[in-house]
Amino acid sequence: MTDIHKNIFSEEENLLHEIQDQCSHFADELITLVAKRIMRIINSWPVFLLPNADDYPNTFNTFDILSCEYQSKSWEEISPFLEDAIERSIASAYDSLNQKEKFFIEYSECFYNTRVLESSEINKILRSRFIELLNEHWSNSKKIQKFQEKRTW
């Protein structure tokens, strides 16, 4: 390989790396935005849809209850239909992004993967960030912490 070819490949690699860095930067913000949309979708569900809602104060919304329940139970244990409902919420929240926003997420790992992210990979990333927010909410919410301290069960 000649020096000219090496320079061209190096320039192409640098450009791809720069594109990915920029996409990753915007993708991180968008992934959090989508996760927060999922939270809003879940909060729009009536509290009584969660089987143990009566065990929680009436000041708790659906997301509060879900964040508590998730700490000790699987989706299936919380409700047999919950995982499907969350998957639909993830899809709905992602679909609400415009094409430019989706582009940033799809190309956020293009340099290392040498391809765009597939929908299953995007879903996994979005789900992971949603679960992070769920856990952060549980550990950072003052009303949840007060409830946990007083809870006798």
Side-chain angles (χ1 to χ4, degrees):
M1 194 178 305
T2 67
D3 287 340
I4 294 173
H5 286 106
K6 288 179 186 176
N7 286 341
I8 291 171
F9 287 127
S10 179
E11 288 176 27
E12 288 174 356
E13 285 180 3
N14 288 338
L15 180 60
L16 275 176
H17 197 287
E18 185 177 331
I19 290 170
Q20 178 182 322
D21 285 347
Q22 292 300 312
C23 287
S24 292
H25 171 74
F26 292 118
D28 288 343
E29 293 174 15
L30 291 166
I31 289 165
T32 298
L33 174 77
V34 170
K36 288 180 178 181
R37 285 182 182 169
I38 298 164
M39 288 171 53
R40 283 194 298 279
I41 291 169
I42 289 171
N43 261 337
S44 72
W45 300 346
V47 176
F48 64 81
L49 289 178
L50 296 175
N52 295 331
D54 291 341
D55 295 339
Y56 294 89
N58 60 4
T59 58
F60 274 37
N61 60 38
T62 307
F63 193 74
D64 294 331
I65 296 169
L66 184 59
S67 66
C68 291
E69 291 286 301
Y70 184 71
Q71 300 310 307
S72 61
K73 298 176 184 172
S74 69
W75 298 128
E76 183 71 23
E77 291 172 315
I78 296 169
S79 172
F81 307 105
L82 184 59
E83 190 163 15
D84 286 339
I86 289 173
E87 289 301 318
R88 286 191 305 275
S89 298
I90 291 170
S92 175
Y94 183 70
D95 289 344
S96 72
L97 296 176
N98 65 42
Q99 282 305 114
K100 290 176 189 174
E101 293 168 325
K102 289 178 183 177
F103 174 89
F104 288 120
I105 294 173
E106 292 168 0
Y107 285 86
S108 64
E109 298 182 16
C110 65
F111 181 75
Y112 299 109
N113 287 336
T114 63
R115 61 180 172 72
V116 299
L117 293 174
E118 295 179 15
S119 61
S120 62
E121 295 167 309
I122 292 169
N123 182 289
K124 189 176 180 178
I125 291 167
L126 296 173
R127 182 185 181 108
S128 176
R129 182 64 181 128
F130 167 72
I131 290 171
E132 285 175 18
L133 290 181
L134 189 68
N135 290 329
E136 287 173 12
H137 182 69
W138 177 80
S139 64
N140 296 332
S141 169
K142 287 184 172 57
K143 80 176 170 182
I144 290 175
Q145 294 311 310
K146 285 180 184 177
F147 169 74
Q148 297 283 80
E149 290 169 4
K150 294 177 182 177
R151 180 163 80 168
T152 59
W153 44 277

